């Protein structure tokens, strides 16, 4: 009831497999638990137990069942980095591209999708913001190519750089801040937010640097203002248009722990132009204390830290939390979160947060689905070849922190279940199909089916939590820190915000 009072329509779809789902029947609509058939259900909504009767065939799309296409395509923009665009594994050419994996899953279950991405490897949401990447900038068409051809020695940092690569054509009118480098598998285009090639966006997904959400200072001064800005711009740009969920929404892409936890004393950063104010180290006391490194030292600790950080964004304008990181932990066997690191992480936040009603980690009812325990978890991460000396493990692994095709498929399933409110069991899986011009890799059928059930168990029973962005108290984001133009050798700017910079 509280969700509907806010004018936000949650994802709605009937499904014989769904244990908890959102159903609609005029004003009677509410979240109900369905155990494979229509009937009565007892649910908790805004802390109250309600008995509601709904009809298992009703939905916002006129009672459509699985097997019938949705009336309108879901229009979704993914904003992120290489965790989203999905680099190729060693000796392969196929990308593990989340937007296309998601489209494959959704359309195999009869939901049409229009997708685009704005991805820059190694960067953060802060540098994608519309306020610093407006449409119609007068950018240099040649500055980026000239910079690369000179070995980064002769670069024009006074003017924005027009983008021209495999996935973004010069005619698309996309640009990035000077100094931001990208590869052939990136799709850099912050302007896609406002270009709206398919019409007003239904969903804009935000995915940040893999370590930033575990650094609370950066979370507050970089990610929170960014989420607030995206939410405001979306509301303004789509105020008079029809949207699937009643309004355009921001969805937070909760990412996963590294294979063996953080394995670093300080957060650091890899790409200076993405962090022109300095590294993330200045947000911590990592030079004199082990408190931050201990908070992400193991994969259960790091996963919890990331989950708390991303969940906090529901208080700054995001409407939906997509719990990918929690699904990865479930696939790995739901190892307990050490109480010491959990308490230290919780102490960094002003309150219990949107996840307080959950018992974490989420445990699977069918524990045999957790096929990626121990060293087997390496299969969820990107293999970089036999000569790759990984810094993400101490057991001789050859993977990095990116998702493998299996890991990215799990992400796509979790996105589908969260956004459509429907079980992903029965979805198609990557088998070399071509989706929006990109060939997909191939994964094992039995692994795919296990991942479908994992996504179902992690997402569907807790939809009220993932969609609680309209219910949690709204906080005002701190002012966004300044973003100076980056130049090689320039001093970090940010003063006390960055503890004097790195």
């Amino acid at each position: 009831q509280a969700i509907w009072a806010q004018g936000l329509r949650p994802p709605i779809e009937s499904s014989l497999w769904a244990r908890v789902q959102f159903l609609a029947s005029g004003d009677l609509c509410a979240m109900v638990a369905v155990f494979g058939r229509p009937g009565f259900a007892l649910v908790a909504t805004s802390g109250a137990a309600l008995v509601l009767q709904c009809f298992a065939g009703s939905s916002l799309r006129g009672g459509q069942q699985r097997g019938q296409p949705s009336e309108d395509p879901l229009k979704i923009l993914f904003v992120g980095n290489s965790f989203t665009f999905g680099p190729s594994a060693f000796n392969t050419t196929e990308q593990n591209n989340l937007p296309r994996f998601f489209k494959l899953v959704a359309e195999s279950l009869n939901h049409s999708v229009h997708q685009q991405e704005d991805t820059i490897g190694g960067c953060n949401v802060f540098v994608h913001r519309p306020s610093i990447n407006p449409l119609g900038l007068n950018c240099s068409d040649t500055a980026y190519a000239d910079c690369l051809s000179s070995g980064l020695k002769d670069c024009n940092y006074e003017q924005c750089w027009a983008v021209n690569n495999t996935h973004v054509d010069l005619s698309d009118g996309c640009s990035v801040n000077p100094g931001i480098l990208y590869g052939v598998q990136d799709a850099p285009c912050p302007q896609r937010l406002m270009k709206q090639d398919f019409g007003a966006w239904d969903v804009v997904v935000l995915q940040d640097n893999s370590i930033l959400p575990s650094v609370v200072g950066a979370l507050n001064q970089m990610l929170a203002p960014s989420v607030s800005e995206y939410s405001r711009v979306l509301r303004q740009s789509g105020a008079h248009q029809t949207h699937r969920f009643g309004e355009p929404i921001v969805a937070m892409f909760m990412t996963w722990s590294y294979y063996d936890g953080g394995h670093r004393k300080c957060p650091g950063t890899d790409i200076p132009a993405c962090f022109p104010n300095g590294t993330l180290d200045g947000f911590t006391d990592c030079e004199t204390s082990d408190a931050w490194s201990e908070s992400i030292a193991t994969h259960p600790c790091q996963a919890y830290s990331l989950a708390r950080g991303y969940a906090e964004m529901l208080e700054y304008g995001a409407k939906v939390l997509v719990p990918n990181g929690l699904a990865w932990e479930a696939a790995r066997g739901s190892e307990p979160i050490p109480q010491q690191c959990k308490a230290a992480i919780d102490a960094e936040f002003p309150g219990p947060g949107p996840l307080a009603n959950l018992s974490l980690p989420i445990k699977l009812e069918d524990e045999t689905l957790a096929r990626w325990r121990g060293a087997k978890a390496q299969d969820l991460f990107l293999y970089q070849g036999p000569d790759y000396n990984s810094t993400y493990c101490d057991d001789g692994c050859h993977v990095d922190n990116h998702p493998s095709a299996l890991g990215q498929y799990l992400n796509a399933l979790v996105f589908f279940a969260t956004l459509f409110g429907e079980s992903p069991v029965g979805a198609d899986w990557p088998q070399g199909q071509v989706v929006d011009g990109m060939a997909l890799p191939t994964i094992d059928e039995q692994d795919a089916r296990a991942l479908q059930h994992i996504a179902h168990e992690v997402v569907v029973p807790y939809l009220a939590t993932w969609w609680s962005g309209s219910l949690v108290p709204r906080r005002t984001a701190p002012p966004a820190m300044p973003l100076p133009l980056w130049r090689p050798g320039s001093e970090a700017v940010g003063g006390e915000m960055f503890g004097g910079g790195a």
Side-chain angles (χ1 to χ4, degrees):
Q1 289 176 330
I3 291 175
W4 282 80
Q6 296 289 329
L8 180 70
R9 297 197 297 266
I12 300 168
E13 187 70 29
S14 62
S15 167
L16 294 178
W17 296 278
R19 300 166 84 72
V20 178
Q21 56 187 271
F22 289 102
L23 299 175
S25 179
D27 293 332
L28 184 64
C29 190
M31 189 188 80
V32 298
V34 177
F35 295 90
R37 57 184 175 81
F40 290 91
L42 184 68
V43 299
T45 303
S46 298
L50 304 174
V51 177
L52 302 167
Q53 184 179 30
C54 289
F55 300 96
S58 60
S59 81
L60 276 179
R61 290 176 293 280
Q64 292 161 341
Q65 304 292 317
R66 179 176 288 189
Q68 295 176 290
S70 301
E71 291 180 356
D72 300 312
L74 177 77
K75 298 182 288 293
I76 184 168
L77 174 66
F78 290 84
V79 178
N81 55 36
S82 52
F83 273 22
T84 294
F85 73 67
S88 304
F90 176 74
N91 264 356
T92 67
T93 58
E94 298 88 3
Q95 288 185 232
N96 301 316
N97 184 263
L98 175 60
R100 287 170 174 82
F101 276 35
F102 171 73
K103 180 167 182 167
L104 172 74
V105 169
E107 296 199 340
S108 74
L109 297 175
N110 300 291
H111 294 279
S112 181
V113 169
H114 290 330
Q115 62 79 24
Q116 282 185 338
E117 63 183 274
D118 165 29
T119 50
I120 305 172
C123 271
N124 51 70
V125 173
F126 194 71
V127 301
H128 289 261
R129 290 174 298 145
S131 60
I132 58 174
N133 296 282
L135 292 170
L137 289 176
N138 182 24
C139 301
S140 171
D141 293 350
T142 61
Y144 184 75
D146 292 344
C147 182
L148 291 185
S149 64
S150 71
L152 309 184
K153 295 177 181 179
D154 184 16
C155 303
N156 176 10
Y157 296 106
E158 303 301 323
Q159 189 179 16
C160 53
W161 293 353
V163 176
N164 186 19
N165 77 344
T166 306
H167 300 308
V168 180
D169 190 79
L170 191 61
S171 63
D172 292 336
C174 302
S175 63
V176 295
N177 286 335
I180 290 182
L181 305 178
Y182 52 86
V184 296
Q185 296 188 336
D186 304 45
C189 189
Q191 292 75 24
R192 279 182 172 151
L193 177 73
M194 300 307 296
K195 283 168 64 68
Q196 300 184 352
D197 292 337
F198 307 120
W201 297 110
D202 294 311
V203 183
V204 172
V205 176
L206 301 181
Q207 175 255 313
D208 214 293
N209 173 273
S210 65
I211 207 76
L212 188 149
S214 66
V215 182
V216 174
L219 187 77
N220 291 335
Q221 294 187 30
M222 296 180 72
L223 185 54
S226 301
V227 171
S228 180
E229 179 178 326
Y230 270 94
S231 177
R232 182 182 68 255
V233 169
L234 276 177
R235 289 197 308 273
Q236 293 170 348
S237 65
H240 303 293
Q241 302 188 51
T242 301
H243 299 276
R244 177 181 292 262
F245 304 114
E247 64 176 347
I249 62 171
V250 170
M252 300 309 299
F253 177 1
M254 179 202 298
T255 56
W256 51 92
S257 166
Y258 301 162
Y259 168 65
D260 204 16
H263 271 258
R264 59 179 72 183
K265 180 173 175 58
C266 291
T269 49
D270 296 328
I271 302 178
C274 294
F275 296 86
N277 298 79
T279 74
L280 296 176
D281 298 357
F283 284 113
T284 75
D285 57 357
C286 63
E287 295 293 346
T288 58
S289 168
D290 291 330
W292 179 82
S293 62
E294 289 176 354
S295 73
I296 63 162
T298 65
H299 75 82
C301 289
Q302 187 183 17
Y304 182 69
S305 179
L306 292 168
R308 284 244 38 193
Y310 275 110
E312 205 76 1
M313 296 304 99
L314 293 174
E315 300 183 10
Y316 292 106
K319 297 297 183 184
V320 187
L321 178 66
V322 187
N324 303 86
L326 299 181
W328 280 55
E329 288 301 296
R332 299 182 65 173
S334 302
E335 294 180 28
I337 305 167
Q339 187 56 42
Q340 184 174 354
C341 81
K342 183 178 185 300
I345 292 165
D346 287 339
E348 295 280 342
F349 295 94
L355 302 181
N357 64 315
L358 300 179
S359 177
L360 297 178
I362 295 174
K363 297 184 181 298
L364 302 175
E365 290 188 9
D366 183 356
E367 294 185 357
T368 64
L369 295 173
R371 303 171 64 169
W372 293 272
R373 301 171 188 266
K376 187 67 174 172
Q378 293 177 26
D379 291 348
L380 297 173
F381 294 88
L382 193 68
Y383 178 65
Q384 292 285 14
D387 298 326
Y388 178 72
N389 295 317
S390 179
T391 60
Y392 296 96
C393 64
D394 55 12
D395 62 359
C397 77
H398 300 288
V399 300
D400 65 10
N401 59 342
H402 292 97
S404 66
L406 285 176
Q408 199 73 294
Y409 182 61
L410 176 57
N411 291 333
L413 295 167
V414 172
F415 263 95
F416 173 83
T418 305
L419 295 180
F420 288 103
E422 176 183 343
S423 174
V425 173
D428 201 355
W429 59 91
Q431 304 170 70
Q433 306 95 321
V434 175
V435 177
D436 286 350
M438 182 182 290
L440 304 185
T442 298
I443 65 174
D444 176 73
E445 178 179 353
Q446 294 307 309
D447 285 339
R449 296 194 186 283
L451 292 171
Q452 291 170 11
H453 286 278
I454 290 171
H456 173 99
E457 289 200 27
V458 169
V459 176
V460 179
Y462 310 104
L463 279 169
T465 297
W466 314 138
W467 278 83
S468 61
S470 291
L471 304 179
V472 298
R474 183 72 180 271
R475 284 195 278 161
T476 301
M481 58 190 302
L483 187 70
L485 283 178
W486 177 82
R487 295 174 180 81
S490 61
E491 294 296 324
V493 179
E496 293 181 355
M497 291 187 188
F498 265 93

